[in-house]
Amino acid sequence: MNAAPRVEPGSPLAFDALPRPLDSAGRPRRVGIEVEFTGLSERRAAGVLAAHLGGRVEEEDPFAFHLVDSALGRISVERDLRHIHPHRPYRHPAPWLRPPASTLVAACLGLIIPRELVTEPLPPEDLPAVDAALARLQAAGAGGDRATLAGSLGLHLNIVPPDPAPATILALLRAYLLLEDELRGEILPSALARLHAPEPFPAAYRRHVLDPAYAPDLPTLCDDYLAANPTRKRGLDLLPLFLELLGDRVAGRITDKVKPRPVLHYRLPVARVGVAGWSLAADWNLWVRVERLAADTEALAARTARALQR
């Protein structure tokens, strides 16, 4: 594996440090990366990654490949369309979509449905190495710049929170709500990108959560979130975390495809794998901005008071 180039602090490509780098057990927090691209097939992309990172490629089906034992652990490259992986269990399976029908569907949608690269949870210091791997894909023909006519090309960060306490989750949610408008302004500069992006949190829910008197326990925080946001289509999607923490309390109230995961699913950024020199750093640093505000009790309270006065 070729090492990622050294980046000096303060460089546009520097990755900012989390204000709380350890979890409640004293372990380094981790982040999983999901990034979509066009151009390369799943098979070809997995081969490029194997040549760069080592490991071996395992084929799950013609549209899903997994690189295992690589320098970055397990990496999956697949077509993100549930019905072309008919062997996987889903809540609403389509029995008629079996080979060769699933193969035909995938071929017809090949120019529309992007490929998705998914890493295992990594320490943040490995993010420059993910940049280097994405650069290899770009050099091999991977494309994509923010959005296509069919939708946005997503870059999702799955960040392990400092702890699962309701006060911690609430502080992060409040910080995100306070920063959401400016984050969207930086991330979504074009009308096309805004068209396909997740919708902002509802104004009434924002006011409810920002109320200084709001101090819910975890079930109440979850119930209030679900009542206002029974969808994964939010910039900060808490459904995987609530599903992980509260299980059946959540599962019967959502219809989206959601997997329980102990992470904060940050899904506003959009990917630019096809742009030479593109880095994950800017999008990662926007998330760190959220965490810094959440960790600064006085700044969070002051900004909340100003927001509620508008």
Side-chain angles (χ1 to χ4, degrees), residues 261-280:
R261 291 178 290 178
V263 298
L264 305 156
H265 188 195
Y266 178 49
R267 56 191 309 271
L268 258 180
V270 285
R272 308 186 70 188
V273 174
V275 176
W278 176 67
S279 170
L280 302 174

Side-chain angles (χ1 to χ4, degrees), residues 122-134:
L122 301 169
E125 55 264 33
D126 280 353
L127 291 175
V130 179
D131 263 359
L134 293 174

Side-chain angles (χ1 to χ4, degrees), residues 27 30 32 38 50 77 100 121 185 221 230 239:
R27 298 168 299 202
R30 290 177 171 256
T38 61
V77 185
L221 181 63
L239 291 182

Side-chain angles (χ1 to χ4, degrees), residues 33-167:
I33 308 298
E34 302 174 43
V35 57
E36 293 180 329
F37 60 92
T38 61
L40 289 184
S41 70
E42 300 85 348
R43 185 187 300 274
R44 172 64 176 145
V48 170
L49 292 172
H52 176 56
L53 297 170
R56 67 183 187 278
V57 176
E58 296 181 350
E59 179 177 346
E60 178 185 345
D61 63 44
F63 312 107
F65 293 80
H66 307 284
L67 178 61
V68 298
D69 297 329
S70 82
L72 287 174
R74 180 183 176 89
I75 301 175
S76 298
V77 185
E78 62 183 52
R79 201 84 56 93
D80 189 20
L81 183 66
R82 71 179 70 182
H83 294 311
I84 62 173
H85 309 290
H87 56 284
R88 296 180 181 176
Y90 291 110
R91 184 175 298 173
H92 301 295
W96 59 272
L97 268 178
R98 297 283 189 272
S102 61
T103 304
L104 178 61
V105 168
C108 293
L109 297 178
L111 297 178
I112 300 174
I113 304 299
R115 284 67 174 162
E116 182 178 40
L117 178 151
V118 181
T119 75
E120 66 179 29
L122 301 169
E125 55 264 33
D126 280 353
L127 291 175
V130 179
D131 263 359
L134 293 174
R136 288 301 183 97
L137 292 181
Q138 194 273 336
D145 185 0
R146 296 191 176 124
T148 69
L149 291 175
S152 67
L153 292 170
L155 166 63
H156 299 177
L157 307 181
N158 297 295
I159 307 112
V160 174
D163 60 67

